[in-house]
Amino acid sequence: MFKDIFEQYQWDEVKAGIYAKTAADVEQALHNQRRTLDDFAALISPAAAPYLQPMAEMSHQRTLQRFGNTMQLYIPMYLSNECQNICTYCGFSLDNKIRRKTLSAAEMLQETAVIKEMGYDHVLLVTGEAHQIVGLDYFKKALQLLRPHFSHISMEVQPMDEADYATLIPLGLHAVLVYQETYHQEDYKKHHPKGRKSSFQYRLETPDRLGRAGIHKMGLGVLIGLEDWRTDSFFTALHLQYLEKKYWQTRYSISFPRLRPFSGGLEPKVEMNDRELVQLICAYRLFNQEVELSISTRERESFRDHIIRLGITSMSAGSRTNPGGYAADLQSLEQFEISDERSAAAIATMLKKSGYEPVWKDWDQVLG
């Protein structure tokens, strides 16, 4: 179990080690062909900031070698904003007095029609964490309803038991995204004071349950801004390394959500500027050539246009973060503010002009 490895590391010691890295450490990491976690720590350290140009060039070349000139496009379908958790950073939090909505089967099909019209054959289903309203039975019905319409279905919902995942995978569940939010155990408790999400250990063990259930792909990440991003990213890389060795048949992706405004608002504890996000993306690519790196519409359009050559392999386009936002109800509360509001067609046009081929379904159907 990953928790056994996790418990061997102390947050403050890891953080101090990252900030103690020198230019010589960075140069050695860039020189190495096979990079270790210690090399990754050097590449995300403040000492690596002056080396952003060579990091970007190397990241671009490694990405081209593995993924070619392709960019996978994905779109979230928000099924429900019901949530029984209190999370300090989320618009769906239980203590936010908002109108709640859960899509019916008919409304899911309305959303599907709009999403298919955009060109998508791969959808990410998203809900808040409300087990009694949007639990296993709801997910089973949603997968059975939507499976005929999409080649691949991913989910970003509450962590579940291994048996639940084993039930959903044969129904068409292809990938699960489960972000730890932060690996800082004490601060995790501060941001999740109520609800099932308040269990740090249960969330930490979710990728192990997914791996044992035989999921095809899982997504990892932290919410950048809750804690020191360099230290959180080190623990994400540690988690990724463990999972790839243990569940080697599963594919993996990393996402980079930066804390965005929502109804109720939480200011980031730690700001990450654009150059630092580029540094982190390049560091992941230099550490791991196989992992998929994803960027969402949280980011500004000009920034997204410029980072597609630096290691990113998938991006959302045309997203709505509220239930029914594509067809049924444009007024329900969004989970967070969208920054890149361009349509999926506009993103595809931008990619083509940049020499990239937009891919509307998951990789193995296209490249396998």
Side-chain angles (χ1 to χ4, degrees), residues 6 59 182 228 252:
F6 177 75
S59 179
T182 179
D228 179 77
Y252 298 91

Side-chain angles (χ1 to χ4, degrees), residues 11 15 182 184 187 223-229 232 269-270:
W11 177 279
K15 182 177 179 180
T182 179
H184 191 296
D187 272 16
L223 183 54
I224 297 170
L226 290 185
E227 248 302 332
D228 179 77
W229 66 264
D232 256 334
K269 177 179 178 179
V270 179

Side-chain angles (χ1 to χ4, degrees), residues 9 14 18 37-38 40-41 44 183 229-240 280 284:
Y9 290 80
V14 169
I18 294 170
L37 270 169
D38 194 56
F40 179 77
I44 62 173
Y183 287 86
W229 66 264
R230 302 177 203 272
T231 313
D232 256 334
S233 298
F234 176 89
F235 279 104
T236 307
L238 177 70
H239 208 162
L240 172 65
L280 180 59
Y284 269 115

Side-chain angles (χ1 to χ4, degrees), residues 18-21 26 41-51 229-230 279:
I18 294 170
Y19 282 83
K21 293 296 184 186
V26 177
L43 294 172
I44 62 173
S45 73
Y51 296 87
W229 66 264
R230 302 177 203 272
Q279 179 184 347

Side-chain angles (χ1 to χ4, degrees), residues 202-222:
Y202 187 75
R203 196 168 190 89
L204 188 71
E205 295 166 5
T206 304
D208 272 295
R209 295 194 298 276
L210 281 165
R212 292 195 300 268
I215 195 69
H216 182 77
K217 184 169 81 172
M218 67 177 87
L220 308 174
V222 293

Side-chain angles (χ1 to χ4, degrees), residues 119-185:
Y120 284 102
D121 199 26
H122 173 200
V123 69
L124 169 65
L125 306 181
V126 185
T127 71
E129 299 192 13
H131 294 257
Q132 293 183 343
I133 300 170
V134 283
L136 181 63
D137 289 342
Y138 183 86
F139 298 140
K140 287 166 62 176
K141 292 173 183 176
L143 287 169
Q144 291 166 337
L145 179 70
L146 299 176
R147 186 177 187 180
H149 302 280
F150 296 100
S151 294
H152 290 93
I153 300 176
S154 304
M155 291 177 63
E156 185 180 342
V157 301
Q158 68 263 20
M160 292 184 283
D161 293 341
E162 181 182 340
D164 296 338
Y165 291 128
T167 298
L168 296 177
I169 290 169
L171 300 180
L173 179 60
H174 173 73
V176 172
L177 282 60
V178 56
Y179 305 140
Q180 187 61 32
E181 312 298 11
T182 179
Y183 287 86
H184 191 296
Q185 197 159 350

